[in-house]
Amino acid sequence: MSNSKLYKGSLNTIILKLLEESDKMYGYEITQKVKEITKGELNITEGALYPALHKLEAEGLLDVEMLKVDNRLRKYYKLTEKGTKETANRLTELEEYIRTMQTIINPKWSIQ
Amino acid sequence: MNKLTKEDIQFIDTYLSNSDIQYEDIRIEMIDHVASEIENRMTKGDNRTFYDIFKEYMVENKASIVKEGSKPFNWKIFKGVSQLFLKNLYSWQVILGSIVCFVIFNKIYSYFYIDSIWGTFFPTFLMMLVMFIPLIVFGKKKFSFIGNFGVLVSFFFAFNYYFIPYLEEQSLFYYINLGVMTVFFVCSLKTMIYLVLFYKNRFQLV
């Protein structure tokens, strides 16, 4: 994961958000997408990504599909119905968190 | 887009296996991750050999890969497999199977005059055989959920071992203990069959 612990708490939400925007994704693809969107600012390591994916899968938020691609097996993840609902909840939660943090860090903004 | 050969993939597999990433399901994902990164670097113009790029990647990332991949016990997986076991406890197959086995075990014990101290022999012995099912189906291949399920089953053996000295023939405690061990055996069998079929279907191994 990137240099900041702040990102760690949002990793699951980031994964869910990316999967919401595409049909299915595999682990490496997720890391590359995050790197591309954040212009290299956020770098998710294997040690952080896969436990998070496995946890979301165990919670029933992600479904898995195995495909043989280029001489190897590839594990694709996609949102379940429960996962789609949970993504909306978590994004709302994250947006509220960001707003709250902004009011603390920049009190002037909160007056407006 | 450059693609790695079967030999390259086999090399990554062997390397990760030797780095203690023993669970097949975890390793398959890691192989794809490492291979994708190497292919990406090659496509972006890295003209070095597969081996040189692989070596560089491993120097940078091995600690992160091995940290999560090499754990034989994983609390999250253990929790997941325990929840599956608890869910199976309430299934009709386990309830019916436990009743049938309980009656059969008692019939066998009374027919052969088996001593009370051996009262839980059948369910524990059969539970041990359950743990051999993955070995028969998958050979040496190990899977994370099955490995962590083995930890749960070892608790049942410990439970049985602890109560053996307190077993007295015809006592209520004896029957309760035999009943509990019978339920553990039948539920372990159902859970193991589920896990084996799950991995068999997912990885199309057999």
Side-chain angles (χ1 to χ4, degrees):
Chain A
M1 194 87 185
S2 168
N3 39 15
S4 174
K5 282 183 182 176
L6 290 171
Y7 290 117
K8 276 193 176 176
S10 312
L11 179 59
N12 289 351
T13 314
I14 293 168
I15 293 169
L16 291 171
K17 173 69 181 162
L18 289 176
L19 288 169
E20 188 192 42
E21 288 168 356
S22 60
D23 178 36
K24 59 183 177 186
M25 289 179 98
Y26 57 98
Y28 182 74
E29 192 182 6
I30 294 173
T31 61
Q32 294 307 294
K33 190 76 183 170
V34 169
K35 207 188 271 185
E36 182 196 318
I37 294 170
T38 63
K39 295 186 174 69
E41 170 64 22
L42 185 53
N43 183 26
I44 305 174
T45 63
E46 300 88 329
L49 175 72
Y50 291 104
L53 284 168
H54 299 159
K55 187 172 178 280
L56 292 169
E57 186 193 346
E59 287 172 358
L61 304 180
L62 303 183
D63 205 0
V64 162
E65 191 183 346
M66 299 295 300
L67 289 176
K68 190 156 190 188
V69 179
D70 304 328
N71 299 320
R72 58 188 183 261
L73 280 174
R74 178 166 286 167
K75 192 174 176 183
Y76 281 96
Y77 294 90
K78 54 184 168 188
L79 285 179
T80 59
E81 206 175 307
K82 187 182 167 190
T84 309
K85 287 176 191 164
E86 188 62 22
T87 306
N89 293 339
R90 292 198 188 185
L91 282 172
T92 313
E93 246 176 59
L94 186 62
E95 280 163 12
E96 279 170 16
Y97 168 78
I98 293 166
R99 264 199 300 272
T100 309
M101 289 308 291
Q102 276 177 343
T103 57
I104 293 167
I105 297 164
N106 294 307
K108 284 178 188 172
W109 289 7
S110 65
I111 296 166
Q112 292 169 352
Chain B
M1 184 83 180
N2 290 358
K3 301 291 173 200
L4 298 186
T5 63
K6 271 186 181 174
E7 290 72 28
D8 296 336
I9 300 296
Q10 186 57 50
F11 182 87
I12 300 170
D13 189 9
T14 309
Y15 182 88
L16 294 179
S17 180
N18 291 338
S19 303
D20 284 337
I21 302 176
Q22 292 177 1
Y23 289 133
E24 197 79 7
D25 47 333
I26 308 267
R27 206 167 63 243
I28 280 172
E29 211 165 18
M30 294 296 175
I31 292 168
D32 184 44
H33 192 100
V34 175
S36 299
E37 175 62 25
I38 294 171
E39 286 174 349
N40 192 20
R41 289 186 190 191
M42 284 173 160
T43 305
K44 281 180 178 169
D46 195 330
N47 291 322
R48 289 174 298 165
T49 63
F50 156 76
Y51 180 70
D52 286 334
I53 302 174
F54 174 77
K55 202 166 69 177
E56 184 189 73
Y57 180 77
M58 275 302 155
V59 169
E60 292 165 3
N61 299 286
K62 188 178 177 183
S64 172
I65 290 173
V66 173
K67 188 186 162 197
E68 275 304 317
S70 65
K71 286 179 186 169
F73 176 78
N74 183 310
W75 172 245
K76 282 171 198 162
I77 296 173
F78 180 76
K79 198 178 150 193
V81 87
S82 301
Q83 282 169 343
L84 176 67
F85 183 87
L86 286 173
K87 195 179 145 198
N88 285 341
L89 269 180
Y90 299 101
S91 67
W92 69 268
Q93 295 99 326
V94 171
I95 294 168
L96 187 67
S98 300
I99 294 167
V100 171
C101 286
F102 184 77
V103 172
I104 292 171
F105 293 151
N106 274 300
K107 291 272 182 206
I108 295 170
Y109 292 146
S110 60
Y111 186 79
F112 289 105
Y113 300 106
I114 292 171
D115 188 50
S116 59
I117 210 140
W118 292 95
T120 50
F121 172 77
F122 274 112
T124 44
F125 176 71
L126 291 171
M127 202 153 64
M128 202 170 72
L129 292 184
V130 167
M131 297 316 292
F132 281 97
I133 296 173
L135 202 68
I136 297 161
V137 179
F138 300 126
K140 285 182 180 175
K141 289 188 168 87
K142 294 176 186 169
F143 295 92
S144 59
F145 270 79
I146 293 174
N148 282 272
F149 182 49
V151 178
L152 183 66
V153 171
S154 67
F155 284 132
F156 303 152
F157 283 114
F159 171 87
N160 178 54
Y161 184 75
Y162 180 78
F163 287 112
I164 281 178
Y166 305 103
L167 296 177
E168 282 173 33
E169 208 164 354
Q170 305 301 324
S171 70
L172 178 65
F173 181 73
Y174 165 80
Y175 286 110
I176 290 173
N177 200 53
L178 178 61
V180 169
M181 288 312 293
T182 305
V183 171
F184 282 171
F185 152 63
V186 178
C187 197
S188 297
L189 179 64
K190 183 177 161 62
T191 308
M192 185 59 90
I193 290 170
Y194 173 85
L195 289 174
V196 166
L197 290 176
F198 170 80
Y199 280 118
K200 201 176 150 187
N201 291 335
R202 175 170 281 188
F203 297 102
Q204 296 157 15
L205 289 162
V206 186

